Amino acid sequence: MHLNALSRKSTVVALVVLVVMVVAAVFRRATAPFAIEIADGEVVVVWRVVVAAILFVVCGAVGGKTLSQTGLTSGYSSLPIPIYALLACGIFMASDMLLAAILSSLFTAAIYLLLRSINSAGEKDSLFFAAALLGAMVPLYPPSIVLAALLPLSMLLLALSVRQVVIMIVGYVLPPLAAAYVTWYGGAEFGAIFRDIFTYLVTPQMGTITQIPYVALAMVATIFAVLIWGAVYITFNPGKLSRVTRARRSLHLFVWTTLVVLTMLFFPSRDLTIFSLLAVPTSILLSFMLGVLPNNPSTISYWILLALFVVHLFLA
């Protein structure tokens, strides 16, 4: 079946595929993890695994609606739903699956709210809560501090007023300050949480990566190939990109967000949690690129990715 027809099938079908992919990947991670995924002293707690799977499913389900809000497609597309599962769970999964799922949920909600701001001129509440969600990620996962770069990016894309800029900045700093107050109220120093964040950032969390499954490398290579191919194709076929300002702003947001998340790889504290964050913007970008590329090659690329996902499960 061609990809365009497949992406417009009932959302129920896409959700069923999402649930199957997430459950299979989480079960694989809990029972037969790759060496790179195992943390020292790791203990699998069933309820944490179940909650993580539920959150991953919710994040994937939001993907279809997120893409329709960007203006990049002419109608609803369910393509981001299974692609999110493939990116967040299909390549590698962090040792703390619950933390990865929570961070992915916060990031998904923040991106969704930023898109609402792009679609609604003068929107203030969405800006505040999007910034607050990004700020809330920092105490949970310090490398996410790089996502603060999305604040000036949003200011440039949306041409915000001084009032809206102040609202975003206050929203971002409020969660870390609230966390500092809670720890201070509990008896610690007020700045203890900020020292902990800095210590985490400069402390290596993973050893040298020497054993990466070949299938995982093939999946990553295929994804990058499709993204680069799509970028080149759009460059030489500009008519494929909507001339609607909202669509161009949305595309810039997802491109720069993906690049910002990739900078986390340069932190000593990098770990596999990055995959759950990278899946949020990349699932939208990859779905968009597959939609604009010629039908037959994009369909083949999509089925190759799904086939690699299945093979990756059984090689664990």
Side-chain angles (χ1 to χ4, degrees):
M1 181 180 292
H2 280 182
L3 194 60
N4 286 338
L6 187 66
S7 66
R8 285 169 173 75
K9 287 288 183 181
S10 171
T11 306
V12 176
V13 176
L15 290 176
V16 170
V17 174
L18 168 68
V19 171
V20 171
M21 293 178 70
V22 170
V23 171
V26 169
F27 180 79
R28 191 276 307 165
R29 172 62 185 83
T31 58
F34 294 108
I36 192 177
E37 296 175 322
I38 302 174
D40 295 335
E42 177 181 325
V43 177
V44 177
V45 182
V46 176
W47 72 265
R48 292 175 65 90
V49 173
V50 172
V51 174
I54 293 172
L55 289 176
F56 279 128
V57 169
V58 172
C59 289
V62 174
K65 189 173 183 179
T66 301
L67 180 58
S68 65
Q69 274 207 335
T70 61
L72 294 171
T73 59
S74 57
Y76 177 81
S77 173
S78 61
L79 200 55
I81 297 177
I83 288 181
Y84 170 84
L86 188 147
L87 296 173
C89 309
I91 304 174
F92 291 121
M93 296 191 73
S95 57
D96 192 343
M97 285 187 284
L98 181 57
L99 175 62
I102 291 173
L103 290 169
S104 192
S105 301
L106 293 174
F107 196 27
T108 299
I111 294 296
Y112 186 82
L113 290 171
L114 287 177
L115 283 176
R116 282 187 57 184
S117 300
I118 289 177
N119 296 334
S120 305
E123 177 71 42
K124 296 187 292 294
D125 292 344
S126 295
L127 290 172
F128 174 82
F129 287 112
L133 290 170
L134 294 175
M137 294 170 64
V138 177
L140 296 174
Y141 186 61
S144 65
I145 195 171
V146 300
L147 297 179
L150 297 183
L151 271 65
L153 174 63
S154 301
M155 295 171 191
L156 292 174
L157 289 177
L158 303 176
L160 301 180
S161 65
V162 175
R163 178 185 180 87
Q164 290 172 314
V165 170
V166 172
I167 287 173
M168 284 197 76
I169 294 174
V170 171
Y172 184 80
V173 301
L174 193 58
L177 290 177
Y181 173 78
V182 170
T183 57
W184 171 78
Y185 187 81
E189 294 182 18
F190 185 81
I193 189 171
F194 301 109
R195 285 199 302 271
D196 291 343
I197 290 173
F198 177 77
T199 301
Y200 188 99
L201 286 174
V202 298
T203 304
Q205 301 296 318
M206 292 179 62
T208 303
I209 300 174
T210 56
Q211 295 181 343
I212 301 178
Y214 291 117
V215 180
L217 288 175
M219 293 174 73
V220 173
T222 303
I223 291 165
F224 273 101
V226 171
L227 291 175
I228 294 173
W229 182 21
V232 173
Y233 186 79
I234 291 174
T235 301
F236 289 97
N237 298 273
K240 292 289 184 179
L241 181 60
S242 172
R243 297 185 182 277
V244 179
T245 303
R246 173 168 65 100
R248 293 181 178 274
R249 287 178 175 176
S250 299
L251 183 59
H252 291 161
L253 174 65
F254 282 104
V255 169
W256 285 107
T257 300
T258 301
L259 294 176
V260 168
V261 176
L262 284 174
T263 62
M264 294 184 192
L265 294 172
F266 298 98
F267 281 98
S269 55
R270 64 186 179 276
D271 61 17
L272 298 179
T273 305
I274 294 174
F275 281 93
S276 63
L277 296 177
L278 195 58
V280 177
T282 309
S283 62
I284 302 298
L285 272 182
L286 189 59
S287 300
F288 169 64
M289 295 304 183
L290 288 171
V292 298
L293 288 172
N295 205 12
N296 287 335
S298 64
T299 302
I300 293 172
S301 300
Y302 177 73
W303 287 112
I304 287 175
L305 284 173
L306 290 185
L308 289 173
F309 172 83
V310 174
V311 173
H312 196 44
L313 287 177
F314 288 101
L315 285 183

